[in-house]
Amino acid sequence: EIVLTQSPATLSLSPGERATLSCRASQSLISFLAWYQQKPGQAPRLLIYDASKRATGIPARFSGSGSGTDFTLTISSLEPEDFAVYYCQQRSDWPRTFGQGTKVEIK
Amino acid sequence: QVQLVESGGGVVQPGRSLRLSCAASAFSFSTYAMHWVRQAPGKGLEWVALISYDGVNKYYADSVKGRFTISRDNSKNTLYLQMDSLRADDTAVYYCARETDGYNDYWGQGTLVSVSS
């Protein structure tokens, strides 16, 4: 099973700041990685797929990068609605696995 | 717009069974693979199962293999998850999700399953 390790567990930032979230895989994913955002009481929302492609309707302040085993989600300037938990997920192999999540909280 | 609505959750005793349903609308259900993903209270996301668009191919997480069965009825635009031999650690919100290009682009609101004596 591919293990995804996200860091940091919690990121404390202010609105307008830049957020950088990391996801490291236990083996190469090529580029088969997605990022999801989840707010309390809501279902996850697809942000980025294939490491760097923005899903439909996702603002340009969200960007993804990386390949192989190291991936990054960047939020260029945090808006109030961006404070949430973010998960990475791989589709390179079965079973599909998620990272444990990074919580982006208001400082 | 695409809609996925789960139902069938509730409180059940350990060892008993429960069947979840996911009603899909506003898209061509029979042409999409579908997933179940769960989230234990206060925890992260755990992928549970996948079924191909035609129901032929199915994949399961090791934690549910042999106890859970994913199925679909394309004539009713409905996805199912039959859960047998339920355990306390199956307690979670269960989401159904559509797959596009290998990822989950639409999710339902979830249904809570609580396994407790």
Side-chain angles (χ1 to χ4, degrees), chain A residues 4-5 11 19 21 25 34 40 54 57 65 68 74-76 83 87 96 104:
Chain A
L4 300 179
T5 302
L11 201 50
L21 288 68
R54 266 191 305 277
S65 63
T74 301
I75 310 171
S76 59
F83 292 92
Y87 295 95
R96 303 282 175 85
V104 178

Side-chain angles (χ1 to χ4, degrees), chain A residues 39-96:
Chain A
K39 297 178 182 179
Q42 296 185 18
R45 172 194 182 196
L46 179 64
L47 299 176
I48 301 288
Y49 66 98
D50 285 347
S52 61
K53 300 174 182 176
R54 266 191 305 277
T56 303
I58 301 303
R61 63 180 181 274
F62 291 93
S63 64
S65 63
S67 64
T69 61
D70 290 300
F71 300 86
T72 300
L73 173 69
T74 301
I75 310 171
S76 59
S77 178
L78 282 164
E79 297 288 337
E81 62 267 28
D82 298 337
F83 292 92
V85 180
Y86 293 83
Y87 295 95
C88 56
Q89 183 208 24
Q90 62 83 19
R91 75 164 188 93
S92 176
D93 198 6
W94 298 102
R96 303 282 175 85

Side-chain angles (χ1 to χ4, degrees), chain B residues 70-107:
Chain B
I70 190 171
S71 63
R72 65 191 298 159
D73 186 338
N74 285 344
S75 68
K76 296 182 178 179
N77 289 345
T78 303
L79 174 72
Y80 302 101
L81 185 67
Q82 177 66 39
M83 304 186 294
D84 299 323
S85 303
L86 282 161
R87 310 186 305 220
D89 62 358
D90 294 318
T91 294
V93 173
Y94 285 74
Y95 296 100
C96 64
R98 188 180 85 167
E99 176 180 297
T100 297
D101 294 330
Y103 303 102
N104 300 124
D105 60 344
Y106 283 95
W107 298 62

Side-chain angles (χ1 to χ4, degrees), chain B:
Chain B
Q1 82 188 38
V2 171
Q3 195 166 15
L4 298 168
V5 179
E6 301 94 338
S7 61
V11 180
V12 62
Q13 293 180 327
R16 304 298 290 266
S17 298
L18 206 60
R19 188 177 83 155
L20 305 182
S21 300
C22 170
S25 59
F27 69 100
S28 183
F29 179 73
S30 63
T31 64
Y32 286 86
M34 297 294 295
H35 296 245
W36 287 99
V37 177
R38 69 184 180 182
Q39 187 169 36
K43 302 297 184 182
L45 301 169
E46 180 187 15
W47 176 80
V48 173
L50 159 83
I51 187 167
S52 60
Y53 71 98
D54 57 2
V56 170
N57 296 304
K58 303 175 185 181
Y59 296 86
Y60 298 93
D62 286 345
S63 58
V64 307
K65 200 174 295 182
R67 300 187 299 121
F68 289 12
T69 303
I70 190 171
S71 63
R72 65 191 298 159
D73 186 338
N74 285 344
S75 68
K76 296 182 178 179
N77 289 345
T78 303
L79 174 72
Y80 302 101
L81 185 67
Q82 177 66 39
M83 304 186 294
D84 299 323
S85 303
L86 282 161
R87 310 186 305 220
D89 62 358
D90 294 318
T91 294
V93 173
Y94 285 74
Y95 296 100
C96 64
R98 188 180 85 167
E99 176 180 297
T100 297
D101 294 330
Y103 303 102
N104 300 124
D105 60 344
Y106 283 95
W107 298 62
Q109 84 291 348
T111 187
L112 177 62
V113 173
S114 181
V115 183
S116 172
S117 55

